[in-house]
Amino acid sequence: MCEMEMKTNDYLSVHMGCHDFLPDEIINDILVNSTFVKDGKTMNPTHANKRICKIYEPPKQLELAEYISDFIIKKNKEIYNFNIKGIPTFDAPSRFEYQSVDGGKFDLHIDLGPGIYSTRKISYSIQLSDEDEYEGGDLVIFPDEITDEEKLSFRRKGTIVLFPSYRAHCVTPVTKGTRNAIVGWVHGDAFL
């Protein structure tokens, strides 16, 4: 064996981007004027429902993508220092709506995938619902090193949460009400 020098990164954990990332007027516009795209229900190999939600395209999607991308590119330089380029149009920000009446949830998963999804570098979730509008529906990122106080802050309306796209995470079942969030990814050359 030999000693090797390697670059390290001690900041590969979850990052609270900003509490007031989106103001109420933009959030209200997104909630009222989004366009339904599809039922987001997906199955896992055992035929159980892995994700139960509805997916919408927010108004002014390209402007929203640019606003999010500019913020994350700046934060990336401070935190992760990943090789990133921005948000491609094929993976633009979407509104995910999880309803208790449907059993809304998203089981444990990572956001990286084959082909074009292998370039996802930083995942983001922007809270659109007031924390008292729903129960359950927690964003949990594994390993679960986040304090209860941080978990509560994830539920604060307008908050953006950033994490590396290779981190396993889930949205626990919504047991009452409806949870809405903008979800998406900043891309760059695939991790090698």
Side-chain angles (χ1 to χ4, degrees):
M1 282 197 253
C2 65
E3 292 295 319
M4 294 182 271
E5 283 193 34
M6 292 182 251
K7 288 183 180 180
T8 62
N9 186 331
D10 295 327
Y11 303 100
L12 298 181
S13 61
V14 177
H15 176 71
M16 181 69 61
C18 176
H19 277 307
D20 298 316
F21 181 71
L22 286 181
D24 283 344
E25 60 270 10
I26 292 176
I27 291 171
N28 292 337
D29 185 39
I30 291 169
L31 291 172
V32 171
N33 296 310
S34 292
T35 304
F36 179 76
V37 174
K38 65 181 180 178
D39 184 336
K41 188 180 286 189
T42 62
M43 308 290 266
N44 68 23
T46 63
H47 304 291
N49 291 322
K50 178 179 180 174
R51 178 179 71 195
I52 302 171
C53 69
K54 294 188 178 4
I55 300 175
Y56 296 82
E57 179 180 313
K60 302 175 189 157
Q61 188 179 45
L62 295 180
E63 291 174 32
L64 181 62
E66 186 175 323
Y67 177 72
I68 294 167
S69 182
D70 289 347
F71 175 81
I72 294 176
I73 286 170
K74 180 181 173 192
K75 283 294 182 184
N76 177 61
K77 289 177 184 174
E78 298 171 14
I79 304 163
Y80 303 118
N81 204 27
F82 290 159
N83 175 5
I84 60 173
K85 296 182 179 178
I87 299 173
T89 54
F90 72 82
D91 221 2
S94 296
R95 176 167 69 95
F96 281 35
E97 181 179 82
Y98 302 91
Q99 298 179 356
S100 61
V101 295
D102 298 332
K105 66 173 184 163
F106 200 160
D107 291 342
L108 189 64
H109 67 285
I110 63 170
D111 290 335
L112 289 174
I116 58 175
Y117 303 111
S118 68
T119 63
R120 288 176 172 172
K121 291 289 194 71
I122 299 174
S123 300
Y124 60 88
S125 178
I126 305 169
Q127 181 72 8
L128 301 178
S129 299
D130 281 318
E131 57 192 284
D132 60 353
E133 292 177 356
Y134 67 98
E135 292 177 8
D138 291 313
L139 172 63
V140 181
I141 302 164
F142 294 90
D144 190 9
E145 307 155 339
I146 302 161
T147 67
D148 288 341
E149 184 177 318
E150 288 172 315
K151 285 179 190 173
L152 286 175
S153 69
F154 286 5
R155 295 173 67 97
R156 188 168 156 190
K157 187 176 180 181
T159 297
I160 184 170
V161 177
L162 312 176
F163 56 95
S165 296
Y166 54 73
R167 292 283 302 264
H169 57 286
C170 69
V171 174
T172 63
V174 175
T175 56
K176 181 179 179 185
T178 301
R179 176 186 185 262
N180 280 281
I182 291 289
V183 175
W185 308 271
V186 172
H187 289 244
D189 293 331
F191 291 111
L192 301 175

